């Protein structure tokens, strides 16, 4: 499963790139606003750092303006993925971009029916919001499983990108549900490596090694 960073903070991306496990980046209007920077400049800088797909979101709600915004965003770099809302206008724009070979990420997905429409529109990625569904008592991971089943039955090529991921358990569950990727905040990314027994075991090994008085170097 691919791991994407959900951030528009270039410093955060630079910090985690040396892990070799950052496969892409997703941004949204809220993250761009938090960065305090111009969207074109931020996206261009991120695309220069990360070879994988970089999602940049159109903010228009009507088809014509979505297409204009998406075209402008896609012109920034070849690895830009135009992010679009799961509305009729967004799906129409998704089809328009698919027809001309521009990759898309259809966001704000909360049902398998919506995911089916996005796939039929030619979306490159579908972004089901796992955490937000859990927040209202629904089953976010269950939605990932339903979409995986639906896509496999009908041979849709759209990739499932688990979004609104809140913790390491969500990432594991998304992988087991068959998601192609998860987009995760930096703190969750860093938490993936952590386990108290790992820390405890390493402390014990180092303590025992210290008693030998040896040095490997």
């Amino acid at each position: 499963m691919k791991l994407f960073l959900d951030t528009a903070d270039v410093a955060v991306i630079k910090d985690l790139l040396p892990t070799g496990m950052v496969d892409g980046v997703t941004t949204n209007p809220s993250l761009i606003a938090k960065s305090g920077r111009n969207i074109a400049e931020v996206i261009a800088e991120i695309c220069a750092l990360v070879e994988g797909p970089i999602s940049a979101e159109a903010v228009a709600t009507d088809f014509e303006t979505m297409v204009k915004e998406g075209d402008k965003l896609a012109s920034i770099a070849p690895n830009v993925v135009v992010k679009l809302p799961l509305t009729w206008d967004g799906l129409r724009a998704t089809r328009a971009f698919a027809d001309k070979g521009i990759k898309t990420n259809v966001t704000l997905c909360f049902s398998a029916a919506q995911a089916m429409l996005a796939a039929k529109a030619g979306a490159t990625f579908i972004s089901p919001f796992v955490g937000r569904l859990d927040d209202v008592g629904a089953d976010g991971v269950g939605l990932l499983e339903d979409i995986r089943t639906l896509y496999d039955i009908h041979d849709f090529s759209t990739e499932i990108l688990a979004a609104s991921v809140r913790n390491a358990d969500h990432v594991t569950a998304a992988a087991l549900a068959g998601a192609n990727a998860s987009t995760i905040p930096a703190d969750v990314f860093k938490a993936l490596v952590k386990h108290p027994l790992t820390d405890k075991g390493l402390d014990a090994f180092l303590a025992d090694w210290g008693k030998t008085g040896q040095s490997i170097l």
Side-chain angles (χ1 to χ4, degrees):
M1 186 178 69
K2 288 174 279 193
L3 297 178
F4 295 170
L5 276 176
D6 194 30
T7 184
D9 189 329
V10 173
V12 167
I13 296 169
K14 288 180 177 179
D15 178 49
L16 290 171
L17 269 179
T19 66
M21 296 183 190
V22 178
D23 300 304
V25 175
T26 60
T27 68
N28 60 45
S30 297
L31 292 172
I32 294 294
K34 185 178 179 181
S35 77
R37 299 181 59 194
N38 174 274
I39 183 171
E41 293 177 357
V42 174
I43 297 301
E45 190 170 351
I46 294 173
C47 287
L49 289 169
V50 182
E51 293 183 3
I54 310 301
S55 289
E57 189 163 347
V59 295
T61 57
D62 66 285
F63 167 74
E64 289 80 8
T65 314
M66 277 185 196
V67 171
K68 290 178 182 177
E69 291 181 350
D71 282 337
K72 186 171 183 179
L73 291 169
S75 71
I76 294 172
N79 54 331
V80 167
V81 176
V82 178
K83 202 170 180 183
L84 299 161
L86 217 160
T87 62
W88 284 119
D89 285 274
L91 293 172
R92 186 180 168 196
T94 299
R95 170 50 60 193
F97 286 123
D99 288 344
K100 52 187 175 182
I102 294 175
K103 294 181 178 181
T104 55
N105 176 1
V106 177
T107 190
L108 293 169
C109 174
F110 294 96
S111 75
Q114 289 179 318
M116 178 179 66
L117 293 176
K120 287 180 68 65
T124 309
F125 298 98
I126 182 68
S127 289
F129 275 39
V130 177
R132 291 197 194 182
L133 280 169
D134 287 356
D135 289 345
V136 297
D139 185 359
V141 173
L143 174 59
L144 296 178
E145 295 170 343
D146 288 346
I147 296 172
R148 179 75 278 155
T149 299
L150 188 154
Y151 280 9
D152 288 348
I153 289 173
H154 297 283
D155 199 26
F156 287 127
S157 60
T158 300
E159 294 190 36
I160 302 170
L161 172 54
S164 185
V165 171
R166 304 283 173 77
N167 50 58
D169 287 342
H170 270 164
V171 179
T172 302
L176 291 171
N180 302 96
S182 282
T183 183
I184 55 182
D187 60 339
V188 175
F189 191 102
K190 292 177 180 178
L192 293 175
V193 77
K194 299 296 290 182
H195 193 285
L197 291 180
T198 300
D199 295 337
K200 183 178 180 180
L202 182 59
D203 288 343
F205 288 156
L206 292 177
D208 289 340
W209 177 251
K211 294 173 185 177
T212 70
Q214 299 181 51
S215 173
I216 293 175
L217 298 179

